[in-house]
Amino acid sequence: MTVSPDAEAHEHSHADVSGGWLRAAVFGAMDGLVTNTALVAGVGAGGAAAQTVVLSGVASLVAGAISMALGEYTSVTTQNEQLELEVAKERGELERNPEGERHELVALLRAGGVDDDLAERVSVQLSRDPETALRLHVVAEMGLSPEDTPSPKVAAVSSFVTFSVGAAVPLLPYLFGLDLLWVALVCGGVGLAVAGALSSRFTPRPWWWSALRQLLFGALAAGTTYLIGSAIGVAVS
């Protein structure tokens, strides 16, 4: 049978969804923007001087970036170690009860739409290589591949850098000598919208939807801290 050129295999690529950097980068940027925009809103609304706003914002940036990095490193490391533990359990099951695990593989293949006879033959062939059988069981039962675990270091660095950049945005007017709270809040809002729009490149969502969502989240946080800051400022004065 002649295979049409259009039906031949062709190379294509996908985004890296397991490297650990994307989720950490998006989370870090959004967290930095929301945290410091809200902080600036609260401290500024309370009547603090520009120097106090900058000091508070920089302290929040440094502490938050370090916290994000350590949290991401610990979280991803724990996830990888848990996967290693589950893989070890599955390897033990394959060693103790290979035939039972083969029947389980047959059931997985049937659930995936493979005919009964073909599923039996495929399970026998795949079970000849224990590591291949192990990978199939782990992916089918846990939805994760033991060979594609995210990097804790990459996640930590990504979150540290993006949190720092995001947290610096609402401080820019004060750093350039412009002591106007509304300008700082506009900068934070623009930063949130831009970050949301950029993140939409990795999702099926339209850019305006992601931008508006992040802007609303930031507005909710900033509005809350602004009201609290105003109330505390009036009470203290």
Side-chain angles (χ1 to χ4, degrees):
M1 183 179 71
T2 302
V3 179
S4 169
D6 294 335
E8 292 180 357
H10 61 281
E11 293 185 0
H12 62 282
S13 60
H14 294 282
D16 178 15
V17 297
S18 62
W21 70 270
L22 180 58
R23 181 191 62 83
V26 172
F27 185 31
M30 298 305 178
D31 196 11
L33 280 161
V34 172
T35 297
N36 259 17
T37 299
L39 182 145
V40 168
V43 175
Q51 184 179 3
T52 302
V53 174
V54 172
L55 178 60
S56 301
V58 171
S60 173
L61 185 157
V62 174
I66 293 173
S67 176
M68 283 288 295
L70 293 177
E72 284 291 341
Y73 185 89
T74 303
S75 174
V76 174
T77 299
T78 301
Q79 175 184 310
N80 290 347
E81 290 173 347
Q82 182 183 24
L83 179 58
E84 290 175 5
L85 178 62
E86 295 303 318
V87 169
K89 289 181 180 178
E90 192 65 35
R91 179 177 282 108
E93 288 296 322
L94 283 167
E95 292 173 353
R96 288 190 296 270
N97 185 19
E99 190 61 20
E101 291 297 302
R102 190 187 68 79
H103 285 300
E104 186 176 308
L105 183 56
V106 170
L108 292 172
L109 292 169
R110 287 173 176 168
V114 180
D115 292 340
D116 292 352
D117 292 342
L118 182 57
E120 284 285 347
R121 294 198 302 271
V122 170
S123 69
V124 171
Q125 184 173 356
L126 293 178
S127 297
R128 292 171 184 167
D129 182 359
E131 289 303 313
T132 299
L134 175 64
R135 284 196 302 273
L136 289 171
H137 279 281
V138 171
V139 172
E141 295 175 24
M142 285 171 267
L144 295 171
S145 172
E147 298 177 347
D148 295 325
T149 54
S151 167
K153 293 180 181 179
V154 169
V157 172
S158 296
S159 62
F160 182 90
V161 171
T162 55
F163 183 97
S164 299
V165 172
V169 171
L171 295 176
L172 290 177
Y174 290 100
L175 294 175
F176 284 101
L178 189 60
D179 185 9
L180 291 173
L181 177 60
W182 71 268
V183 176
L185 296 181
V186 168
C187 284
V190 171
L192 282 163
V194 170
L198 290 175
S199 69
S200 70
R201 296 186 58 188
F202 305 98
T203 73
R205 298 286 189 181
W207 68 268
W208 58 265
W209 190 93
S210 297
L212 181 60
R213 178 182 62 181
Q214 297 308 322
L215 186 58
L216 289 175
F217 287 165
L220 177 61
T224 302
T225 55
Y226 184 92
L227 293 175
I228 294 173
S230 297
I232 294 176
V234 170
V236 171
S237 62

